Amino acid sequence: MLRYLRLVGIQVRASLLLAMQYRVEFVVQGFAGLFWSAATFVPLFVVFGKRPSVAGWSFGQALLVLAFFLLLRSLLDGAVNPSLVQVVEHIRQGTLDFVLMKPADAQFLVSTAKFDPSALSGTFGAFGLFGWAFWKTHHAPSPGGVVIALLLLAAAVALLYSIWILVVSSAFYVVRVDNLSYLFTSIFDAARWPASVFRGILHFVFTFVIPLALMTTYPAEALLSRFTWSDAAASIGGALAFAAVARLTWRGALAKYTSASS
Amino acid sequence: MVHVRELSKVYRVHQRPPGLVPAFKSIFHRAYRNVPAVQSLSFDIGPGERVGFLGPNGAGKTTTLKMLAGLLHPTSGSALVNGFVPRERSVGLLKSITLVMGQKQQLLWDLPPAETFALNRAIYEVPPAQFQDTVRELSELLELGELVNQPTRQLSLGERMKCELAAALLHRPKVLFLDEPTIGLDVAMQLTVREFVRRYNERYGATVLLTSHYMEDVRALCPRVVVIDKGRLLFDGAIEELVKSVKPNKRIVLKLSRPVDGADAARFGEVMEHEPSRIELDVRPDQLQAAVAGALASLPIADLVVEDPPLEDALRELFRRSRTDGADSR
């Protein structure tokens, strides 16, 4: 365990060195991240400009969902996406060989290969949003609600990561997955809205198939004291099941790996 | 150290005729063909041996190396490397082997090689003192100097390969799989890499399995060669034996003080090369003495050398025979 923590440390260090090597890009990316955070409000303003609530959510409450969305989006762009995009390239060029030759868990190595510190700037925006949302709703979260929300957030990160592993695993079979990753980021965009906005089939899909509801809506509801411990347990169980499926799929995909010719 | 028994690998390859219509059809229906890359291959390599692994492009060399390194799962047959089954990719195996590929690199592109070294140190759990020792030794053998502190992308191909070798050997592996480690390098750098592999082998008693298209690498490094074509074993033994069994004739290299007619030289043996000041003749061993005496007596010779035919010729002949045999048996 300690060894893996040390490995993460070294990989983060390498990413920081890299980021600082290209200083201009680092600064530009940081600003782009902040700009993007600001831009996420626009649809919310448009929708709430005409009506006081949408699908039972007030503006302030919807801000909480958006804050979780922004937080996850930053984590996705900063900590998950850069490494896993690299895997696809590794598979295409056959350099995954070097990763598989290492005496450490391959999924761990590829998942922590690269971080993008500039993309993490969005997390500041997210914390600002939390403050604004509580001010708007005149509601301070209960300690229990905060604990549940944090647990759900951890489950959401696990879920997001698992979905990415599933996407990457498909690269072993189809080699090019650029479209799949675009598709996923586009679908993930829907997580900025409270889940009850979606009806019918979309509601089912976003709750059970690609559980966007668990990622942003449920943690927000926990902060609003509308989520119980048993609901939280079920969500965490769901996230763990997703993680197990992702792990099995990854292992199956590795066995399928054909490497690229010399 | 390396035991290979009846090892086979069959690839399933997607087939598609050229053109837009077949491309469109292949979206809905894909045709596959089984391509045998390695077929019933068996050989053993002892500890500390340096073995050349030869064959034309597509012979199955890289596939075999990757099966031995645990990267590819064999379709059938078995392999044992340093007592481990490669496909299980156990920590014990991975810590005792390394794979260097001349056409691919593991160094972090934008950062100095020293960063890759640090990462590998942590992954392989090399104790700090041993790490310092190894880096010092490898730096000395490869003359790395300040190269390790420059971003990889600013290094030349040869400098990069030297750092690649160092990164691949930091954990002091006992088995080295080297796949074209000198490809694209200039003659001086090829020599450096070659010399380094030999010294590493001697210092650590490591087993080396090397593929290369440069026969000079193989001749200089490997007393023994394993030759395959179309995934099948063609030869396994000493280089001299290979040359002797495939090309038993001797080669007489004549340096001439003035040009002579090819027909004049042909009286003493088969003319293999003919330049104004140089002729190479192939002669059966039992006729060697007479041919040398005759040539000395009647040709304007400045220098005369008798040698075995080049390894390249022997290999060419071996592959030609294997292909004709293959065609006959079909």
Side-chain angles (χ1 to χ4, degrees), chain B residues 225-262:
Chain B
V225 289
V226 170
V227 186
I228 63 168
D229 188 18
K230 292 185 175 163
R232 291 184 186 280
L233 185 74
L234 292 187
F235 179 87
D236 180 359
I239 290 190
E240 302 83 57
E241 261 178 64
L242 168 67
V243 176
K244 214 175 278 176
S245 68
V246 182
K247 283 267 186 188
N249 290 352
K250 287 285 178 186
R251 172 85 40 117
I252 308 178
V253 183
L254 305 171
K255 278 193 188 147
L256 305 166
S257 52
R258 61 178 165 77
V260 295
D261 194 38

Side-chain angles (χ1 to χ4, degrees), chain A residues 3 13 22 100 102 259-260, chain B residues 66 89 106 110 115 123:
Chain A
R3 170 174 172 233
R13 178 172 168 270
Y22 299 105
L100 297 179
K102 301 281 190 280
S259 189
Chain B
K66 286 185 177 173
R89 296 184 51 240
Q106 66 162 321
D110 293 293
E115 294 299 329
I123 292 175

Side-chain angles (χ1 to χ4, degrees), chain B residues 45-176:
Chain B
I45 302 177
E49 258 196 285
R50 292 191 305 260
V51 177
F53 195 34
L54 307 177
N57 288 332
K61 304 183 296 281
T62 304
T63 300
T64 307
L65 284 191
K66 286 185 177 173
M67 282 194 280
L68 294 179
L71 291 171
L72 294 178
H73 290 199
T75 310
S76 65
S78 66
L80 214 56
V81 175
N82 196 20
F84 299 97
V85 177
R87 63 180 297 168
E88 291 169 2
R89 296 184 51 240
S90 62
V91 172
L93 171 82
L94 298 176
K95 281 194 175 180
S96 64
I97 64 171
T98 200
L99 172 67
V100 176
M101 291 179 278
Q103 317 214 30
K104 291 172 192 164
Q105 60 161 30
Q106 66 162 321
L107 296 173
L108 299 166
W109 182 247
D110 293 293
L111 295 175
E115 294 299 329
T116 307
F117 295 177
L119 187 62
N120 282 359
R121 185 189 85 70
I123 292 175
Y124 285 99
E125 298 176 284
V126 183
Q130 187 193 322
F131 176 72
Q132 296 299 341
D133 281 356
T134 315
V135 169
R136 199 174 46 243
E137 273 177 31
L138 294 176
S139 301
E140 184 192 303
L141 285 174
L142 287 163
E143 296 160 19
L144 294 182
E146 274 306 299
L147 291 181
V148 295
N149 297 319
Q150 284 175 32
T152 303
R153 66 191 153 80
Q154 289 174 1
L155 301 178
S156 72
L157 183 63
E159 291 168 341
R160 224 155 56 213
M161 184 37 80
K162 292 204 288 187
C163 295
E164 276 290 326
L165 277 168
L169 297 172
L170 280 174
H171 58 291
R172 292 189 190 161
K174 300 295 280 174
V175 184
L176 274 55

